[in-house]
Amino acid sequence: GLILQKLTFLPNTELFQSVVFVTVYVFITQIIEIPWSLYKTFVLEEKHGFNKTTLHTFILDIIKSLAVAFVLGIPFIVAFISIIEWGGDYFYIYVWFFTFLFQLFLITIYPTWIQ
């Protein structure tokens, strides 16, 4: 909130702040997990002969997973927060139904488009 207030050219809405917060959180989490993923992929899997990944493939996988997360995650967050703002006292029912439909959508597209 405080950082976005200093950047006067950006909208200062709850929806925008939520999207920025989740985006920053995902980036920080991904950066923290990189050493552990490197160890798992290039030490543990290599030790047991399971590793077929190169460093180039490893980096591309991280980039692709972040791209898929943002393409699917940002619209989900926007819809989720919008439903909470719109839903009134019974917002949790609408959020539950939306989350249920979103999961069905992901189950449908995962085998053909994402995997």
Side-chain angles (χ1 to χ4, degrees), residues 19-101:
V19 170
V20 169
F21 174 77
V22 171
T23 303
V24 169
Y25 176 78
V26 168
F27 270 125
I28 290 172
T29 304
Q30 187 66 41
I31 289 169
I32 291 171
E33 289 179 3
I34 286 175
W36 304 110
S37 297
L38 281 167
Y39 178 77
K40 180 182 148 242
T41 302
F42 293 108
V43 176
L44 292 180
E45 289 182 5
E46 188 79 29
K47 178 180 174 183
H48 298 288
F50 297 126
N51 185 21
K52 304 285 188 229
T53 306
T54 64
L55 186 59
H56 182 264
T57 308
F58 180 80
I59 293 169
L60 282 177
D61 284 347
I62 290 174
I63 293 169
K64 288 177 185 177
S65 67
L66 283 173
V68 169
F70 289 125
V71 165
L72 294 174
I74 290 176
F76 178 80
I77 293 166
V78 168
F80 194 87
I81 300 296
S82 298
I83 291 169
I84 290 173
E85 290 175 350
W86 168 81
D89 291 338
Y90 298 103
F91 75 90
Y92 56 91
I93 295 171
Y94 303 124
V95 166
W96 174 84
F97 188 68
F98 170 72
T99 305
F100 174 74
L101 290 178

